[in-house]
Amino acid sequence: MAMGFFCLALFLIFGLDLDTGYAASASTSEGVEVTYGTVLKLMHEKTKFRLHSHDVPYGSGSGQQSVTGFPNVDDANSYWIVRPELETAAKQGDSIPSGTIIRLQHMKTRKWLHSHLHASPITGNQEVSCFGGESESDTGDHWRVMIEGSGKTWKQDQRVRIQHVDTGVYLHSHDKKYTRIAGGQQEVCAVREKRADNVWLAAEGVYLPVGETK
């Protein structure tokens, strides 16, 4: 029942069609396609933490809104909306082939997953932040989805790497955790090398089915 009301709230917020969207958990809907307009959580494969943000700025680096890894599955600040890159004809319900450039919009604060040449707080790798808003986005918000394995389009529970287009680094996390403001949450950053620690999976969310080709 709680999930049903939550899904209804999501559709009311984003103006989606209740007849076409459906909720999926990480354990019940393996193989569902990720499409533009889908609201999802990204799970870090190695630690199982979810990509997370909240209206708390970094105390160093850019000072922009912080991005972390969050341990609990049911936190609402871990939802992201899958959006097309800037200046594209892609539309809601389109599938996302490997190599496609996307943007990820934080559901609650409406800012974009972003990276740039600042150092991350714990390890000094490249910082990942949230930046901008509904009418403020740039190529620093562009990320390329790269499927690991034989799949052609992005699906739930499929291993992917997410590469920052402007700088070439990969979205990354590890078991190094914050101890103060975001105590218990782990650092999310970006690194240049492909590592076991930069593989992610689309997990819980409200997935929109693939739209009909006109």
Side-chain angles (χ1 to χ4, degrees):
M1 179 67 72
M3 176 59 79
F5 283 119
F6 176 70
C7 294
L8 176 60
L10 285 178
F11 283 105
L12 290 174
I13 290 169
F14 301 119
L16 305 178
D17 187 347
L18 281 168
D19 293 328
T20 60
Y22 51 91
S25 71
S27 60
T28 60
S29 299
E30 184 174 353
V32 174
E33 286 214 37
V34 179
T35 61
Y36 293 121
T38 288
V39 181
L40 55 70
K41 293 183 179 182
L42 278 177
M43 182 178 73
H44 185 240
E45 183 186 47
K46 193 166 184 181
T47 65
K48 311 307 180 190
F49 279 45
R50 271 60 174 175
L51 185 71
H52 178 91
S53 189
H54 39 239
D55 192 14
V56 176
Y58 284 121
S60 61
S62 69
Q64 292 176 4
Q65 183 171 301
S66 57
V67 174
T68 63
F70 198 80
N72 299 335
V73 174
D74 58 353
D75 190 90
N77 279 313
S78 300
Y79 280 104
W80 302 82
I81 312 164
V82 182
R83 303 290 197 195
E85 65 176 308
L86 293 165
E87 299 179 3
T88 179
K91 60 187 183 301
Q92 183 171 295
D94 284 355
S95 58
I96 300 172
S98 185
T100 297
I101 297 172
I102 65 166
R103 294 177 297 160
L104 291 169
Q105 187 178 29
H106 189 240
M107 187 184 80
K108 190 166 185 180
T109 64
R110 317 303 284 180
K111 295 184 178 182
W112 305 95
L113 188 70
H114 186 87
S115 192
H116 41 211
L117 299 178
H118 288 276
S120 63
I122 296 179
T123 59
N125 291 314
Q126 187 163 309
E127 181 188 275
V128 174
S129 64
C130 270
F131 178 72
E134 291 286 4
S135 59
E136 184 182 5
S137 180
D138 59 31
T139 59
D141 308 330
H142 282 177
W143 299 84
R144 190 183 307 276
V145 177
M146 305 172 70
I147 293 170
E148 292 288 298
S150 59
K152 294 183 179 180
T153 57
W154 191 14
K155 296 180 179 179
Q156 188 187 26
D157 294 328
Q158 189 168 44
R159 301 173 74 246
V160 298
R161 295 183 195 275
I162 301 177
Q163 185 180 33
H164 189 241
V165 174
D166 277 0
T167 61
V169 293
Y170 295 94
L171 186 66
H172 182 86
S173 193
H174 43 64
D175 60 4
K176 295 178 175 61
K177 295 180 175 62
Y178 293 97
T179 57
R180 291 192 294 174
I181 294 176
Q185 297 176 41
Q186 67 191 28
E187 184 183 61
V188 169
C189 55
V191 298
R192 192 157 298 279
E193 306 85 9
K194 287 186 177 181
R195 303 181 192 172
D197 280 343
N198 47 46
V199 175
W200 300 81
L201 299 91
E204 305 83 8
V206 178
Y207 287 72
L208 298 186
V210 177
E212 295 181 3
T213 302
K214 299 288 186 178

